[in-house]
Amino acid sequence: MSSAQRFVSRVLSLSIAFALAATVAAQGNVSGVWIFNVQTDAGSGTPTITLKQDGEKLTGQYSGQLGEAPITGTIKGADIMFSFNGDLQGQSFTVTYKGTVSGNTMKGSVDLGGQAQGTFTAEKKK
């Protein structure tokens, strides 16, 4: 291999390493307390959601207008999904959040058991 080919090979290897490091850094860790702003067909709310990340697995706690409930979900790269079981006036349903994370913010969609849909933004509490 010529010195020029070795140089190109090293530059490509470093570029790949930096890209992988940037992907991991961009994902970061979502563990912590998040303040949400939710807008749905059925109204709006500002729940607090505490998340704990273990690899791609998420657990946590929802606290808001629907009461309190344990959360389970996943995070893969910047894509996040979590859900919990809600109960409103004796009707049980699953609330599902899907979105993307960028640093200390996230945004996406929320589905309240097929009864209402909407969007959310969230910021990690410092």
Side-chain angles (χ1 to χ4, degrees), residues 44-79:
S44 62
T46 55
T48 299
I49 295 178
T50 303
L51 296 173
K52 181 177 182 230
Q53 181 179 343
D54 182 13
E56 291 184 343
K57 180 182 173 186
L58 294 175
T59 56
Q61 185 75 19
Y62 167 91
S63 179
Q65 289 178 308
L66 300 174
E68 302 221 356
I71 290 171
T72 59
T74 59
I75 182 163
K76 295 180 181 181
D79 296 328

Side-chain angles (χ1 to χ4, degrees), residues 22-94:
T23 300
V24 170
Q27 176 185 344
N29 189 315
V30 298
S31 294
V33 178
W34 292 79
I35 308 301
F36 278 68
N37 184 345
V38 179
Q39 303 291 322
T40 72
D41 305 341
S44 62
T46 55
T48 299
I49 295 178
T50 303
L51 296 173
K52 181 177 182 230
Q53 181 179 343
D54 182 13
E56 291 184 343
K57 180 182 173 186
L58 294 175
T59 56
Q61 185 75 19
Y62 167 91
S63 179
Q65 289 178 308
L66 300 174
E68 302 221 356
I71 290 171
T72 59
T74 59
I75 182 163
K76 295 180 181 181
D79 296 328
I80 190 167
M81 189 282 302
F82 56 90
S83 62
F84 64 91
N85 292 322
D87 186 275
L88 189 59
Q89 298 175 348
Q91 290 197 22
S92 296
F93 54 94
T94 300

Side-chain angles (χ1 to χ4, degrees), residues 1 3-16:
M1 184 182 289
S3 62
Q5 288 172 321
R6 281 192 298 271
F7 175 76
V8 169
S9 177
R10 287 184 188 151
V11 168
L12 287 174
S13 293
L14 285 173
S15 296
I16 291 169

